[in-house]
C-alpha cells in the first residue's frame, strides 16, 4: 500500500443551508428538505461521524475482504460509481463473529463521510453496481441481508439521497424469487431505481459510463477494480489514519443544522441493526 503521508485539502460544500440534493429529492419542498437535512445532521452528531472519519480504520481491510466493494470511475453525467461484489460476500465471517455488524456499520459511515469530504460535500452522487455473480439462492439468508441492510441504514441516515440508481449485473435466473427480500434492505430512496441484467451487462454499463471509466473486469478500458485512482486515494487516506496521521480534507468542520426549515425536533436516530 502507499506510504502514509498527508493528503492535500479539498474544498467541501457549505453545510449551513439545506443541500440542493435534498431539495431536489423532496420535489422543491423547502420545509420537508430542511427537516430531512436536520435529521441527517442530528444523526451525524449522535454517531460522532466527524470522529469516525478522522480516526483509525482498523477494520477497513476486514470489511473490504468480507464485502468486496470498490470506488471506480464516474458516469457520463459525473456521478461516482461504487462496485459491490455481493456474490463474493463472506457471510461466514459474520456468522462466526470475526466481523461484527457494528464494525461494518462504522466502516460504511467512514466510506460515505469520506466521499462527502473528498468530493462534492452533501451534493455527492453515487451509482451502485451490484455484481451477484456466484451468489447462490441459499446464500440470500439473514446474514447476507443483515450486511446489505447495514450499508443501507448508513445511507438512509447519513446520505439518504446519494445513490441515484442501482444496476444489478450477472443476475441468475432465480433472482426474481429472492428480489423482494433484497429490495426491502436497499436504501429507501432508490428501491424503485434498479436495473437488473444478466451476464449480457455490457450495454447497460456503456450507457452508464464511457469505456475508460468502466473497470477492465467488466470489459472496459479502466483499471481493474481496486487499482482505480479514487480507490487508491481512499486506501492512502486509511494508511495515513492508521499510522496516526491526519488527512487535511477529512479535518473540515462537520456539517451543522441549517437555519431554514422546520423547528421540529429531529427523530432519534435508529441504532445499528442487531444480529
Amino acid at each position: 500500500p502507499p506510504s502514509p503521508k498527508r493528503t492535500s485539502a479539498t474544498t467541501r460544500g457549505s453545510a449551513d443551508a439545506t443541500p440542493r440534493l435534498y431539495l431536489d429529492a423532496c420535489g422543491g419542498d423547502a420545509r420537508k428538505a430542511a427537516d430531512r437535512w436536520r435529521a441527517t445532521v442530528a444523526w451525524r452528531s449522535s454517531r460522532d461521524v466527524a470522529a469516525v472519519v478522522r480516526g483509525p480504520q482498523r477494520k477497513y481491510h476486514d470489511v473490504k475482504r468480507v464485502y468486496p466493494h470498490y470506488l471506480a470511475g464516474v458516469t457520463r453525467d459525473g456521478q461516482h460509481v461504487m462496485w459491490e461484489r455481493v456474490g463474493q460476500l463472506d457471510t461466514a465471517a459474520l456468522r462466526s463473529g470475526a466481523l461484527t455488524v457494528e464494525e461494518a456499520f462504522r466502516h460504511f459511515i467512514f466510506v460515505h463521510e469520506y466521499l462527502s469530504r473528498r468530493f462534492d460535500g452533501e451534493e455527492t452522487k453515487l451509482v451502485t453496481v451490484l455484481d451477484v455473480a456466484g451468489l447462490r439462492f441459499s446464500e440470500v439468508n439473514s446474514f447476507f441481508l443483515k450486511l446489505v441492510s447495514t450499508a443501507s441504514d448508513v445511507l438512509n441516515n447519513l446520505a439518504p439521497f446519494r445513490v441515484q440508481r442501482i444496476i444489478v449485473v450477472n443476475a441468475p435466473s432465480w433472482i426474481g424469487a429472492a428480489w423482494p427480500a433484497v429490495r426491502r434492505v436497499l436504501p429507501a430512496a432508490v428501491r424503485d431505481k434498479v436495473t437488473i441484467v444478466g451476464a449480457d451487462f455490457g450495454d447497460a454499463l456503456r450507457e452508464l459510463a464511457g469505456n475508460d471509466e468502466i473497470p477492465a473486469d467488466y470489459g472496459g478500458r479502466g483499471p481493474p477494480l481496486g487499482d482505480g485512482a479514487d480507490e487508491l486515494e481512499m486506501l492512502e487516506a486509511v494508511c495515513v489514519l492508521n499510522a496516526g496521521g491526519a488527512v487535511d480534507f477529512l479535518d473540515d468542520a462537520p456539517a451543522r443544522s441549517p437555519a431554514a426549515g422546520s423547528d421540529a425536533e429531529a427523530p432519534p436516530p435508529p441504532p445499528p441493526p442487531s444480529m
Side-chain angles (χ1 to χ4, degrees):
S3 59
K5 66 179 182 181
R6 216 173 155 78
T7 306
S8 59
T10 298
T11 301
R12 192 178 185 207
S14 170
D16 293 324
T18 305
R20 170 56 56 186
L21 183 59
Y22 282 60
L23 286 166
D24 291 345
C26 293
D29 186 330
R31 184 182 180 88
K32 181 179 179 182
D35 284 348
R36 191 65 188 86
W37 172 233
R38 195 182 307 277
T40 296
V41 173
W43 189 91
R44 178 179 282 130
S45 176
S46 75
R47 300 296 298 183
D48 204 1
V49 168
V52 170
V53 80
R54 295 172 183 149
Q57 304 302 313
R58 303 298 184 200
K59 290 291 184 175
Y60 181 85
H61 301 290
D62 292 335
V63 179
K64 298 275 277 190
R65 193 159 41 245
V66 169
Y67 189 175
H69 54 285
Y70 308 91
L71 190 62
V74 295
T75 66
R76 295 185 184 278
D77 56 354
Q79 299 170 10
H80 298 275
V81 186
M82 184 69 77
W83 305 74
E84 303 184 10
R85 288 184 151 173
V86 295
Q88 297 179 15
L89 188 111
D90 180 11
T91 57
L94 283 178
R95 193 180 301 112
S96 69
L99 179 72
T100 68
V101 170
E102 177 61 29
E103 288 168 341
F105 195 75
R106 187 183 187 281
H107 170 85
F108 291 121
I109 288 175
F110 169 78
V111 168
H112 285 287
E113 186 66 4
Y114 172 95
L115 294 179
S116 291
R117 296 181 182 227
R118 175 62 186 87
F119 297 118
D120 301 318
E122 305 307 323
E123 310 298 339
T124 303
K125 295 180 180 179
L126 198 67
V127 171
T128 299
V129 177
L130 295 180
D131 185 354
V132 297
L135 185 68
R136 298 190 297 269
F137 184 78
S138 61
E139 293 174 321
V140 185
N141 53 32
S142 61
F143 292 97
F144 172 91
L145 295 174
K146 190 69 68 179
L147 194 52
V148 176
S149 175
T150 297
S152 296
D153 282 349
V154 171
L155 278 167
N156 285 335
N157 290 285
L158 181 60
F161 307 117
R162 171 161 297 164
V163 178
Q164 301 297 296
R165 61 184 293 202
I166 293 174
I167 300 176
V168 180
V169 301
N170 287 314
S173 58
W174 51 258
I175 193 70
W179 187 250
V182 176
R183 182 182 181 277
R184 282 195 295 272
V185 298
L186 293 177
V190 78
R191 288 173 186 165
D192 296 323
K193 301 177 183 178
V194 179
T195 300
I196 301 177
V197 292
D200 55 343
F201 52 72
D203 287 347
L205 294 185
R206 285 188 291 272
E207 178 185 346
L208 177 72
N211 252 352
D212 290 341
E213 302 294 332
I214 298 173
D217 316 58
Y218 295 91
R221 293 194 296 263
L225 285 181
D227 290 343
D230 290 337
E231 180 71 18
L232 291 178
E233 186 174 15
M234 188 188 299
L235 174 60
E236 182 175 5
V238 169
C239 288
V240 172
L241 296 173
N242 285 350
V247 178
D248 290 348
F249 64 81
L250 297 182
D251 281 339
D252 285 355
R256 297 184 297 279
S257 181
S262 171
D263 291 330
E265 184 179 347
S274 58
M275 293 299 292

